[in-house]
Amino acid sequence: QLQLVESGGGLVQPGGSLRLSCAASGFAFPSATIGWFRQAPGKAREAVSCISRSNVTTYYTGSVKGRFTISRDNAKNAAYLQLNSLKPEDTGVYYCAAEQVAYYIACPRSSSAYWGQGTQVTVSS
């Protein structure tokens, strides 16, 4: 059964840190491009960070560059997003997505990706 399960969200004060995890099963994880997306209340879902299937390239949206770090462990079928120096505008539901492709893509595409159920991140004092 194909699954992506996120964990690690929570309530944190501005300036704090969280580490999100995405546990994958049911598909060939090493061959998938992985992305972390977030959706804030009243806003469209956006790609926050992505990592290619070969670990060659990473992508970060401008607002998180220098604060967030994406990584993956193919041996554990897991991906991670380290969130540092969190700001209230980082609040939202964070989703892990995976897309298996035989060629390079920067981020999973919404229509083709597998999605997790999301984990809530709230940054507030």
Side-chain angles (χ1 to χ4, degrees), residues 35-38 44-50 59-62 64 107-108:
W36 285 96
F37 294 71
R38 71 183 174 196
R45 186 168 59 192
E46 64 169 338
V48 175
S49 181
C50 304
Y59 161 83
Y60 296 94
T61 192
V64 309
C107 285

Side-chain angles (χ1 to χ4, degrees), residues 12-18 38 63-69 82-91 94 123:
V12 63
Q13 292 186 341
S17 298
L18 287 172
R38 71 183 174 196
S63 63
V64 309
K65 283 182 180 178
R67 300 189 297 121
F68 292 8
T69 303
Q82 178 68 40
L83 290 65
N84 296 330
S85 302
L86 282 160
K87 304 176 181 180
E89 52 264 41
D90 294 318
T91 293
Y94 283 69
V123 185

Side-chain angles (χ1 to χ4, degrees), residues 21-103:
S21 298
C22 173
S25 60
F27 66 98
F29 182 82
S31 67
T33 293
I34 304 299
W36 285 96
F37 294 71
R38 71 183 174 196
Q39 187 163 22
K43 295 187 177 181
R45 186 168 59 192
E46 64 169 338
V48 175
S49 181
C50 304
I51 186 166
S52 66
R53 64 185 198 139
S54 56
N55 264 340
V56 172
T57 61
T58 55
Y59 161 83
Y60 296 94
T61 192
S63 63
V64 309
K65 283 182 180 178
R67 300 189 297 121
F68 292 8
T69 303
I70 192 170
S71 62
R72 65 190 295 167
D73 185 338
N74 288 342
K76 295 182 178 180
N77 284 357
Y80 309 96
L81 187 67
Q82 178 68 40
L83 290 65
N84 296 330
S85 302
L86 282 160
K87 304 176 181 180
E89 52 264 41
D90 294 318
T91 293
V93 179
Y94 283 69
Y95 298 91
C96 176
E99 183 175 357
Q100 287 182 273
V101 288
Y103 49 88

